């Protein structure tokens, strides 16, 4: 109810219906004086916000600590005392993704993290071998070390051969891939020579981007691709999707050939910003699968009931992930172990929450709920992989 003055005329300003009280029984509009001061506008805004906050936090208490309670209340028609699930989903998802995309999953940090992991892919045992290798000047001993390493599978399953042209210290070492006559191998080279070779290669291939799809090198232009396709028999030409995709890849390579890092950043940013859409789209599909899981109880639980259930599970996930990332940030900043333990506990709760909620909402035993939870988890993993692939391709096309 508003704190503004009620009109004396008992006719609705919105639909002209005769009033019998403060609210119109047809359209629901409150019968208030249309002229209001700035102060009234401010107080009305504050009242609406605090009213929202009150409902939000009271709903949040039941959401987090009584899994399955809120969708059960909704199905029973008890809704006025709680914040509407769709409104709560929009609010929590907006807050989560603003924080997530601004502070947690920044494209620059992700690309840097991937690059760092690729540079540090060797484990400590193999790194110790490399240290010893470069500390040894005896060529026969080096050859024996290489043979011993290859006898146990080389490095990361790849055969290693010795580059006898350098005897650098470990500080100038760089571990790279190289294509040789015996297949793809791992080779030890000096850091300076590796950088020089990479720069020479980039200069030679300037204006093109060596795109390879399924070990097939794509032409440097769409015209060259069309010409190559025209020379093939109709049965061996690419289908419409493959044709469209490869043309887009060629156009992307031409556009970004001088700024590959910029391409990676743009692709990562496009994909990250598609995650909210991905989550929203997944709700009706996951709810549909929930309906199949409980098909024998379809007269008790309609499709909408499953949608509401999944919506509350998503809301809980958003909130708990924010708590998890917050605890991780505190642990990284203060190096206080209890924060890490709490973060692990929150992560475990995120995975256990759907199981407890399924047990409480669908009123089945924990054993039956557990098996249905495993099936749901398996199907959702496959579906998530499919969605990620679709949105990744979409993000690539949008660049």
């Amino acid at each position: 109810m508003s704190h503004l003055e009620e009109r004396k005329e008992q006719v609705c300003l919105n639909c002209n219906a005769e009033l019998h009280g403060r609210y119109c029984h047809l359209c629901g509009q409150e019968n208030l004086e249309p002229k209001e001061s700035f102060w009234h506008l401010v107080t009305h805004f504050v009242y609406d916000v605090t009213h929202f906050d009150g409902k939000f936090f009271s709903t949040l208490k039941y959401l987090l600590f009584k899994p399955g309670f809120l969708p059960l209340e909704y199905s029973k028609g008890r809704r006025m005392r709680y914040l509407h699930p769709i409104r709560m989903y929009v609010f929590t998802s907006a807050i989560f993704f603003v924080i997530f995309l601004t502070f947690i999953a920044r494209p620059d940090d992700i690309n840097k993290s991937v690059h760092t992991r690729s540079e540090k892919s060797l484990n400590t045992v193999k790194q110790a071998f490399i240290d010893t290798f470069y500390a040894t000047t005896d060529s026969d001993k080096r050859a024996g070390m290489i043979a011993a390493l290859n006898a146990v599978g080389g490095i990361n399953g790849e055969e290693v051969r010795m580059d006898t042209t350098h005897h650098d210290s470990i500080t100038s070492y760089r571990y790279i891939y190289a294509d040789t006559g015996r297949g793809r191998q791992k080779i030890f080279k000096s850091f300076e020579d590796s950088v020089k070779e990479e720069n020479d290669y980039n200069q030679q291939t300037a204006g093109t981007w060596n795109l390879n799809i399924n070990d097939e090198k794509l032409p440097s232009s769409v015209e060259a691709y069309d010409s190559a396709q025209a020379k093939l028999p109709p049965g061996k030409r690419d289908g419409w999707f493959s044709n469209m995709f490869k043309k887009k890849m060629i156009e992307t390579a031409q556009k970004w050939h001088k700024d590959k890092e910029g391409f990676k950043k743009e692709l990562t940013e496009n994909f990250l910003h598609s995650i909210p859409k991905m989550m929203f789209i997944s709700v009706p599909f996951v709810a549909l699968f929930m309906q199949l899981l409980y098909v024998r109880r379809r007269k008790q639980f309609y499709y909408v009931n499953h949608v509401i259930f999944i919506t509350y599970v998503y809301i809980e996930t958003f909130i708990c992930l924010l708590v998890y990332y917050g605890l991780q940030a505190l642990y990284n900043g203060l190096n206080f172990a209890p924060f890490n333990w709490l973060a692990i506990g929150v992560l475990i709760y995120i995975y256990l929450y759907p199981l407890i909620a399924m047990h409480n909402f669908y009123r089945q035993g924990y054993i039956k709920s557990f098996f249905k939870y495993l099936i749901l988890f398996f199907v959702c993993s496959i579906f998530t992989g499919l969605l990620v692939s679709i949105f990744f391709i979409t993000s690539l096309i949008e660049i």
Side-chain angles (χ1 to χ4, degrees), residues 7 45 65 120 151 174 204 214 221 225 281 306 310 345:
R7 292 174 64 243
F45 169 76
F65 302 111
K120 297 181 178 180
R174 191 186 185 195
Q204 292 171 6
N214 295 328
S221 67
Y225 172 76
I281 290 173
H306 302 299
I310 294 299

Side-chain angles (χ1 to χ4, degrees), residues 207-224:
T208 63
W209 198 349
N210 262 346
L211 287 174
N212 291 273
I213 300 177
N214 295 328
D215 295 327
E216 175 191 356
K217 183 179 177 182
L218 294 182
S220 58
S221 67
V222 173
E223 291 76 15

Side-chain angles (χ1 to χ4, degrees), residues 50 59 74 83 125 145 191 310 340 356 362 390:
T50 54
T59 305
Y74 189 91
L83 191 62
V125 175
M145 292 174 64
F191 178 78
I310 294 299
N340 191 40
I356 302 172
Y362 295 104
I390 293 173

Side-chain angles (χ1 to χ4, degrees), residues 4 30-31 42 52 74 102 205 254 311 327 346 391:
L4 301 178
E30 195 172 1
N31 188 30
V42 172
F52 173 84
Y74 189 91
T102 304
T205 58
Q254 290 177 321
T311 300
L327 290 170
V346 171
F391 275 88

Side-chain angles (χ1 to χ4, degrees), residues 30-284:
E30 195 172 1
N31 188 30
L32 302 175
E33 289 291 344
K35 295 180 180 179
E36 59 180 335
S37 65
F38 176 75
W39 175 248
H40 281 154
L41 183 66
V42 172
T43 54
H44 194 214
F45 169 76
V46 172
Y47 174 77
D48 284 346
V49 170
T50 54
H51 180 68
F52 173 84
D53 287 347
K55 269 195 174 183
F56 177 82
F57 289 111
S58 62
T59 305
L60 184 63
K61 177 182 66 175
Y62 292 111
L63 174 72
L64 295 180
F65 302 111
K66 295 188 71 174
F69 174 77
L70 288 176
L72 194 61
E73 288 283 279
Y74 189 91
S75 64
K76 292 178 179 178
R78 301 169 186 165
R79 304 170 185 178
M80 280 302 296
R81 69 186 74 173
Y82 313 111
L83 191 62
H84 194 277
I86 303 302
R87 189 178 182 189
M88 192 173 186
Y89 176 89
V90 172
F91 177 75
T92 54
S93 63
I95 296 297
F96 171 77
F97 284 112
V98 166
I99 295 175
F100 180 76
L101 297 174
T102 304
F103 301 104
I104 300 169
R106 293 178 294 186
D108 288 337
D109 293 342
I110 292 176
N111 290 331
K112 183 179 179 181
S113 176
V114 171
H115 178 73
T116 301
R117 284 198 298 269
S118 64
E119 290 293 324
K120 297 181 178 180
S121 60
L122 299 178
N123 61 35
T124 54
V125 175
K126 291 169 182 175
Q127 187 63 57
F129 163 81
I130 295 168
D131 292 344
T132 306
F133 178 86
Y134 274 103
T136 303
T137 56
D138 190 323
S139 59
D140 292 335
K141 191 173 181 179
R142 282 190 171 190
M145 292 174 64
I146 292 292
L149 183 65
N150 288 331
V152 295
I155 295 183
N156 294 338
E158 298 284 348
E159 183 185 357
V160 177
R161 72 179 177 85
M162 182 168 55
D163 179 5
T164 57
T165 60
H166 296 93
H167 301 281
D168 311 72
S169 65
I170 192 63
T171 56
S172 62
Y173 155 79
R174 191 186 185 195
Y175 194 55
I176 65 169
Y177 282 106
D179 290 322
T180 67
R182 292 179 294 169
R184 185 174 238 196
Q185 295 178 327
K186 309 279 190 172
I187 301 178
F188 299 122
K189 283 188 179 180
S190 68
F191 178 78
E192 291 80 5
D193 282 358
S194 296
V195 172
K196 183 178 183 301
E197 287 183 8
E198 185 174 346
N199 290 336
D200 291 343
Y201 176 77
N202 289 337
Q203 289 178 4
Q204 292 171 6
T205 58
T208 63
W209 198 349
N210 262 346
L211 287 174
N212 291 273
I213 300 177
N214 295 328
D215 295 327
E216 175 191 356
K217 183 179 177 182
L218 294 182
S220 58
S221 67
V222 173
E223 291 76 15
Y225 172 76
D226 287 335
S227 176
Q229 287 290 302
K231 294 177 182 178
L232 295 174
K236 293 187 177 182
R237 295 173 186 173
D238 293 332
W240 71 269
F241 180 80
S242 179
N243 186 288
M244 176 199 69
F245 182 72
K246 289 181 179 180
K247 285 183 177 180
K248 179 59 183 178
M249 291 291 289
I250 294 170
E251 291 172 355
T252 301
Q254 290 177 321
K255 177 181 177 181
W256 295 91
H257 74 272
K258 293 182 179 180
D259 187 14
K260 295 181 183 179
E261 292 302 317
F263 165 76
K264 294 177 184 177
K265 181 179 178 180
E266 185 77 10
L267 178 60
T268 304
E269 190 170 342
N270 277 7
F271 178 73
L272 289 175
H273 281 85
S274 69
I275 294 178
K277 293 182 286 185
M278 194 188 312
M279 295 292 293
F280 185 77
I281 290 173
S282 69
V283 171

